[in-house]
Amino acid sequence: MRYGMAIDTLKCVGCGDCVVACQTENNVPFGYCRDWITETIDGTYPKVELEFRSERCNHCENSPCVRCCPTGASHIVEGGIVVVTADKCIGCSACIESCPYDARYTHPLGHVDKCTFCHHVRDYKQTTACSAVCPTSCIYFGDLDNPKSEVSMVLKNRKFKDLAPEAGTKPQIFYLI
Amino acid sequence: MISTRRQFIKISTVGLGGAAVAASSLKLAHGTGLFGSDDDEQINDLKNKRFPTYCEVCFWKCAGWTHTNDKGEIQKILGNEKDPHCYGRLCPRGTGGLGMYQDEDRLKTPLIREEKGGKQVFREATWEEALDLIAKKFKKIKADNGAESIALLKHGTPGKHFEHLFEAFGSETVGEPAYAQCRGPREAGFAATFGSWIGSPEPTDIRDTKCLVLIGSHIGENMHNSQVQEMAQAIDNGASIITVDPRLSTAASKSKFWLPIKPATDIALLLSWMNVLIYDNLLDLDYIKDNTYGFEQLKEHVRNFTPEWAYNITNIKPGMIRKTAREMANAAPAVIIHPGRHVAWYGDDTQRERAMAILNGLLGSWGKRGGFYLKEGFKVPKYPHPKYPHPKWTWRDLAKDYPLAGMGLTQEVIRASIPEESGEHKVKAWLVVGTNIKKSIPHQELVNKAIEALDFLVVVDTMPMDIVGYADVVLPECTYLERYDGIRSATNREPSIALRMPAVPPKYNSKPGWWIAKQIGERMGLGEYFNYEDFSEVIDWQLQQIGSSLEEMQAIGVKNLPRKSGSLYFAEGEKVNLPTNSGKIELYSTELAAKGFDPMPLYTPHAEPEEGFYRLIYGRAPMHTFSRTANNPHLTDLKDKNTLWMNPKVAKLWGFETGEEVYLKNQDGVVTSFPISIRVTERIRWDAVYMIHGFGHTNKKLTRAYGKGACDTEMITNVKVDPIMGGTGMRENFVTFIKDSGKETKA
Ligand code: SF4
């Protein structure tokens, strides 16, 4: 069991619904976010390419944030999900420094916070708030180890890339291109 | 009520301390989510409730569920999976709709304008007092000038309650920016061709289309929910998208063909497409013979409008024009030349829409899978009330110069409110509900003059929008999450109805729109028109008539009903039978000819920017609706101001960089109230600049929105009125950049 996402950049319109749905599902305080939208533009008018990406913690298999956490607050749970136990976190922000994706922030209450793949609903929902809300259905979430899962299927059939491969973190979020 | 000039009041006295404010975000952050926090113990905590609603953040009206936690606080809003407007997925604005409820800048209690020491201020008032005053003033104005002299300017669901009130006291003097400032031209243009309006949601069969053609329409930036969802499905299905836009819109970036057209020349391109389709023999002539009227005239009409001719005008290469025409013909009839939504651009908009409709007619997409489906709606029975009186004159009289005007023209209501403009000064008072006409109506000088000339102005809103500052009486409406409203019933593939009910009681001292209308009505002696204690009685009665009930709808939220009008598409070979004069698709419009207009569209050149000026184009961002969401804390997190898109060539010429702030000055010397920061980007042509509509709020009480970005409406002083239906074309305005406005800059 290894949770991951494939996000279709050909469909994403960069609306930010994933960001708001995450905020309301996970009580992310105003002014903070666990996921966000990146827009990249390439070329010169009128030969211009545009790509939107919904980004978040990559739940890396080789996660520098977990390795550098002095208290074990950052750890990996079932399905390869990287989580932070707020009570154990001392807010040293070493993990924030170590993350090549800038996926973590310090919550106003002092602990570090980030995407959990909506771990809290996993017992009865095989989805995440961002994936469930996306108007273009561009976020495929599921078990990468199961070849029959939707996410595995799209990754099998489509071209994709991951972010910052040079960091060697083995991210679990893939962008369909 | 106050004889001196109507000063803008910055609502300095708002803020009854009384009512509790929403739990602070810090408290919320401790995890009271529907499924508990990330803390394992709270998983499966499903003691929460959900209440059906349909969204009021835009006009798409997606049905959803408002979830409350065990403390009865609103936690989140999710889409209703049965709803054909959203299929269980709200857009960012709908998901963030609870920000409207949480916003601590909300209007909290009724306000009455009064004069204190020579200064006009708002004083907090009780509902009794405010409603009594409105009834007294309305009765007096009615006695002196007739009920017709009281006008209703409205948008959205609450407008319906006030429409009922107005018709009950004898006024059909109404204006809605949704028509003349927005989609009116397409309704007129498509009606002249197919006999009926497009309506909302648009009956475009995008999910099954093979080719979607967007003329400046920026689906994906306008977040019309199910339509965006279907565009994504079309992308999955490998449909080709052709986008015509001087800007690399989001949709353009997903298109097989992006035609970066010179602004204001669309009609030339559309005519040349007709030329190619006809003269390159790309059409099904049997279909055309059986189903259209005026093909020979059209053929003659477009003879000289070759791609070479169009190239000189549009900058689109002839080869590309031919190639895209073929792409459409190959997909036909599963092709959509999309009518768009906000289409009041250049004053010949009905004719541009006609050209788009004609292309659909030629390609046979009307009533075809992957083209336009045959929509069906559901008529909710009317709750009984006495007959409305007959007004002596209505909005139709004010719109008499525009023969195809199909709804009240806001700008004509405004004009009729200004003595020197109308000659008659027929309109004396306004009730404005759900529309911030300081941002939705171009030519603000006229709006200001009208406001000054009014005897009385009532504004009903949830937020201290710009227009609120000009009111004599301000009535705080509660948000859609706190009230009942009329049953939603829209046309779609299958008819459906949806219920909106309160999830929580109204916060502060705010009240539902239906209650406000009823209270005013009763005070005007119209109690028999409001024969219920609570609006839920009306809804229950209506639902009972159709074999449902309030109880049932409270449990399910949305009910999809079977079609009664037959198939979703015309059968193969079935001849169309349309409500046009000829019964056919009118390539040559008999109606326009009879009214003295060009029966077939023509290209006319529009003004171009002078040196140092750039055409101002505006549009939407997916996380905002008009100016109404600019203060919503969830949505300001995503975007809290607009920027000015500028081609790098232009930026270089001026020595500007991204992030630099400038004021805009238009061709008439009008300068924006606030500066806007520049975004240098390859996504826009060099002869135009682009900004998102709805920013640059002037009311300081909008603490997140005040002074953020600039207001495009301020720059729209040159209005090109469509002679056919009265649309207000807004894109013939040009701006230049100044570093110092000469005004006080923002605080
Ligand atoms: S499209 Fe978005 S804002 Fe409009 S009604 Fe639907 S959810 Fe609400």
Side-chain angles (χ1 to χ4, degrees):
Chain A
M1 171 83 82
R2 190 167 55 111
Y3 287 113
M5 274 180 180
I7 300 179
D8 193 345
T9 62
L10 301 188
K11 289 200 287 182
C12 176
V13 294
C15 71
D17 207 358
C18 45
V19 181
V20 187
C22 174
Q23 275 187 325
T24 63
E25 178 59 46
N26 295 300
N27 296 316
V28 176
F30 288 135
Y32 299 87
C33 58
R34 290 181 177 186
D35 53 354
W36 62 95
I37 301 288
T38 319
E39 175 183 344
T40 47
I41 300 163
D42 235 352
T44 309
Y45 191 98
K47 294 240 170 305
V48 198
E49 300 267 315
L50 166 68
E51 182 180 282
F52 288 112
R53 284 190 309 274
S54 168
E55 296 187 5
R56 59 188 54 55
C57 166
N58 278 270
H59 298 277
C60 307
E61 212 177 302
N62 178 18
S63 40
C65 52
V66 171
R67 253 182 290 125
C68 74
C69 179
T71 67
S74 272
H75 62 290
I76 295 180
V77 296
E78 157 95 20
I81 303 176
V82 178
V83 297
V84 182
T85 306
D87 291 351
K88 279 199 191 164
C89 175
I90 53 168
C92 71
S93 37
C95 57
I96 296 181
E97 296 297 317
S98 78
C99 174
Y101 307 101
D102 201 12
R104 295 170 165 242
Y105 70 95
T106 304
H107 194 283
L109 292 175
H111 62 272
V112 166
D113 192 44
K114 60 176 275 298
C115 163
T116 63
F117 274 164
C118 288
H119 182 50
H120 61 292
V121 305
R122 197 55 12 85
D123 281 357
Y124 46 94
K125 275 201 169 161
Q126 292 305 308
T127 184
T128 62
C130 54
S131 170
V133 83
C134 176
T136 67
S137 299
C138 79
I139 303 176
Y140 302 91
F141 170 80
D143 182 5
L144 297 167
D145 283 344
N146 175 358
K148 292 225 172 65
S149 70
E150 202 183 18
V151 61
S152 299
M153 299 291 276
V154 289
L155 287 171
K156 202 175 125 209
N157 296 325
R158 292 272 303 269
K159 277 211 288 199
F160 61 86
K161 63 178 177 189
D162 56 15
L163 300 182
E166 68 283 358
T169 53
K170 294 203 186 153
Q172 304 299 305
I173 296 198
F174 304 93
Y175 292 91
L176 304 172
I177 47 177
Chain B
M1 56 185 305
I2 286 172
S3 52
T4 53
R5 289 168 61 87
R6 186 181 303 274
Q7 298 161 356
F8 178 84
I9 302 182
K10 301 205 175 80
I11 323 194
S12 45
T13 64
V14 168
L16 278 187
V21 192
S24 78
S25 44
L26 288 193
K27 220 152 105 215
L28 284 171
H30 254 317
T32 45
L34 171 67
F35 305 114
S37 73
D38 301 336
D39 183 349
D40 287 359
E41 284 160 22
Q42 286 185 33
I43 289 181
N44 281 337
D45 171 15
L46 287 169
K47 273 181 289 169
N48 312 281
K49 290 206 187 97
R50 60 178 201 177
F51 301 87
T53 188
Y54 59 88
C55 182
E56 186 72 21
V57 189
C58 91
F59 41 74
W60 211 255
K61 302 193 174 85
C62 300
W65 299 101
T66 315
H67 290 248
T68 57
N69 61 19
D70 49 0
K71 294 192 208 81
E73 296 160 343
I74 298 181
Q75 204 56 52
K76 63 182 177 186
I77 314 169
L78 300 178
N80 186 319
E81 284 173 10
K82 299 237 165 57
D83 184 36
H85 296 229
C86 77
Y87 306 107
R89 294 162 186 263
L90 297 180
C91 86
R93 301 161 298 160
T95 305
L98 75 162
M100 278 173 78
Y101 166 75
Q102 294 164 328
D103 199 324
E104 66 290 353
D105 293 338
R106 275 173 63 171
L107 291 170
K108 299 184 177 80
T109 198
L111 302 171
I112 295 176
R113 174 183 295 262
E114 65 174 24
E115 212 162 293
K116 229 183 192 164
K119 236 188 127 206
Q120 296 185 14
V121 293
F122 279 131
R123 147 175 92 72
E124 291 182 358
T126 62
W127 278 98
E128 283 298 312
E129 212 182 348
L131 294 164
D132 285 346
L133 175 63
I134 292 168
K136 192 176 113 202
K137 290 295 290 188
F138 278 6
K139 276 199 273 190
K140 170 103 185 16
I141 294 168
K142 182 175 170 179
D144 293 349
N145 307 285
E148 301 86 348
S149 68
I150 310 175
L152 174 65
L153 302 180
K154 67 179 178 86
H155 183 88
T157 314
K160 288 260 182 283
H161 304 298
F162 293 93
E163 211 166 20
H164 173 59
L165 168 69
F166 271 59
E167 289 190 43
F169 73 66
S171 170
E172 282 177 41
T173 311
V174 50
E176 192 160 358
Y179 185 75
Q181 282 69 48
C182 192
R183 62 190 172 90
R186 76 162 199 209
E187 308 300 4
F190 273 70
T193 316
F194 299 106
S196 54
W197 282 23
I198 290 290
S200 180
E202 292 84 7
T204 44
D205 204 17
I206 299 177
R207 69 178 183 201
D208 283 329
T209 199
K210 293 190 187 135
C211 180
L212 174 63
V213 185
L214 302 174
I215 311 296
S217 167
H218 54 358
I219 299 178
E221 281 158 289
N222 64 34
M223 211 58 203
H224 306 157
N225 198 334
S226 45
Q227 193 158 275
V228 178
Q229 297 192 23
E230 291 197 20
M231 187 169 85
Q233 275 173 278
I235 292 171
D236 267 343
N237 296 340
S240 56
I241 303 177
I242 299 169
T243 301
V244 179
D245 202 316
R247 183 178 67 95
L248 183 88
S249 61
T250 299
S253 78
K254 304 193 179 302
S255 298
K256 181 166 174 189
F257 300 102
W258 169 38
L259 279 51
I261 196 167
K262 179 174 168 184
T265 66
D266 309 81
I267 295 183
L269 173 69
L270 297 165
L271 289 169
S272 70
W273 271 340
M274 291 178 210
N275 175 289
V276 176
L277 290 172
I278 294 174
Y279 287 96
D280 288 6
N281 295 317
L282 299 174
L283 297 171
D284 177 348
L285 292 178
D286 288 337
Y287 172 87
I288 286 177
K289 189 162 151 277
D290 288 348
N291 296 288
T292 69
Y293 175 87
F295 180 68
E296 289 307 321
Q297 284 108 310
L298 182 73
K299 186 170 176 182
E300 201 40 47
H301 180 71
V302 300
R303 179 185 292 278
N304 296 321
F305 301 140
T306 59
E308 286 69 22
W309 165 82
Y311 173 52
N312 287 325
I313 299 167
T314 61
N315 299 170
I316 306 297
K317 296 213 171 95
M320 182 53 92
I321 296 177
R322 293 207 165 82
K323 204 181 207 170
T324 43
R326 263 174 208 280
E327 186 86 10
M328 293 179 226
N330 289 339
V335 53
I336 301 165
I337 322 300
H338 197 285
R341 188 120 186 168
H342 167 74
V343 291
W345 297 349
Y346 301 112
D348 55 1
D349 306 301
T350 301
Q351 292 290 13
R352 186 183 65 256
E353 290 290 330
R354 267 276 296 157
M356 291 151 70
I358 289 170
L359 281 165
N360 282 305
L362 289 173
L363 293 161
S365 63
W366 196 257
K368 289 292 169 56
R369 180 183 294 277
F372 291 76
Y373 60 77
L374 302 170
K375 63 186 178 183
E376 188 177 315
F378 182 79
K379 264 216 157 15
V380 177
K382 264 202 161 311
Y383 187 75
H385 61 72
K387 258 181 104 147
Y388 293 134
H390 264 299
K392 288 201 198 63
W393 56 274
T394 69
W395 63 266
R396 283 178 199 281
D397 297 273
L398 299 180
K400 63 181 182 315
D401 292 343
Y402 307 98
L404 263 63
M407 276 166 85
L409 306 176
T410 324
Q411 79 274 15
E412 291 307 315
V413 174
I414 290 168
R415 213 180 291 280
S417 314
I418 306 171
E420 58 271 28
E421 279 284 331
S422 63
E424 298 171 272
H425 188 202
K426 289 175 129 179
V427 175
K428 307 286 183 196
W430 296 351
L431 188 146
V432 182
V433 53
T435 175
N436 182 16
I437 59 161
K438 292 294 297 169
K439 294 248 185 297
S440 55
I441 311 294
H443 203 167
Q444 281 292 309
E445 203 190 315
L446 274 192
V447 177
N448 294 341
K449 270 195 196 160
I451 290 174
E452 274 197 21
L454 288 178
D455 290 351
F456 194 55
L457 171 56
V458 181
V459 175
V460 181
D461 212 314
T462 65
M463 293 296 297
M465 293 301 179
D466 312 74
I467 182 63
V468 164
Y470 298 87
D472 292 305
V473 181
V474 181
L475 301 179
E477 195 191 13
C478 58
T479 68
Y480 67 105
L481 303 171
E482 305 158 284
R483 68 185 192 225
Y484 277 107
D485 268 313
I487 295 166
R488 185 204 77 188
S489 154
T491 55
N492 225 301
R493 291 187 176 90
E494 279 90 38
S496 71
I497 53 170
L499 174 71
R500 173 184 292 164
M501 70 173 294
V504 287
K507 216 187 208 181
Y508 311 115
N509 193 17
S510 63
K511 297 282 187 190
W514 67 261
W515 183 90
I516 300 171
K518 174 175 152 74
Q519 291 294 322
I520 298 174
E522 283 173 352
R523 284 168 167 77
M524 292 179 75
L526 303 167
E528 47 186 344
Y529 288 90
F530 298 91
N531 191 14
Y532 41 84
E533 277 309 304
D534 192 277
F535 199 71
S536 58
E537 295 162 38
V538 175
I539 299 172
D540 194 30
W541 183 89
Q542 291 176 306
L543 290 169
Q544 301 278 356
Q545 306 309 301
I546 59 170
S548 177
S549 66
L550 184 60
E551 203 186 341
E552 185 194 24
M553 288 301 286
Q554 284 178 340
I556 59 177
V558 170
K559 201 177 176 100
N560 293 309
L561 301 146
R563 274 179 79 90
K564 289 204 177 119
S565 63
S567 158
L568 193 54
Y569 309 111
F570 290 123
E572 186 69 40
E574 182 184 346
K575 287 187 191 169
V576 304
N577 182 11
L578 300 174
T580 53
N581 289 335
S582 60
K584 294 185 171 186
I585 299 167
E586 297 210 344
L587 306 175
Y588 176 101
S589 167
T590 53
E591 187 183 15
L592 288 177
K595 300 254 158 75
F597 299 110
D598 290 330
M600 289 171 292
L602 276 170
Y603 167 73
T604 30
H606 294 289
E608 300 204 14
E610 311 235 323
E611 186 158 356
F613 280 79
Y614 304 84
R615 188 182 301 273
L616 176 65
I617 312 180
Y618 48 80
R620 305 275 300 277
M623 60 293 280
H624 284 289
T625 303
F626 319 138
S627 64
R628 69 162 59 173
T629 51
N631 205 64
N632 180 320
H634 279 293
L635 306 180
T636 50
D637 262 12
L638 293 177
K639 183 184 277 300
D640 67 349
K641 61 175 188 187
N642 57 1
T643 56
L644 188 74
W645 296 29
M646 184 182 283
N647 185 282
K649 288 199 185 85
V650 179
K652 197 165 164 215
L653 200 71
W654 287 77
F656 289 149
E657 279 173 22
T658 290
E660 208 168 330
E661 292 202 321
V662 290
Y663 290 84
L664 303 182
K665 181 163 111 181
N666 78 358
Q667 71 285 336
D668 295 325
V670 180
V671 178
T672 50
S673 298
F674 304 103
I676 182 167
S677 55
I678 289 170
R679 176 195 185 192
V680 180
T681 175
E682 295 284 0
R683 290 180 64 187
I684 180 83
R685 255 176 81 105
W686 53 87
D687 50 1
V689 288
Y690 174 80
M691 64 201 274
I692 305 289
H693 168 74
F695 287 90
H697 276 270
T698 54
N699 200 328
K700 281 192 173 152
K701 283 292 152 182
L702 295 172
T703 52
R704 275 174 296 276
Y706 172 75
K708 292 280 177 59
C711 171
D712 54 318
T713 310
E714 287 180 343
M715 293 292 94
I716 302 172
T717 54
N718 180 29
V719 179
K720 292 290 182 197
V721 181
D722 190 322
I724 300 176
M725 49 57 70
T728 54
M730 308 192 211
R731 294 201 173 169
E732 222 166 284
N733 288 275
F734 308 103
V735 296
T736 191
F737 322 115
I738 53 176
K739 288 298 275 185
D740 182 6
S741 71
K743 295 182 197 171
E744 222 181 295
T745 52
K746 72 170 164 173

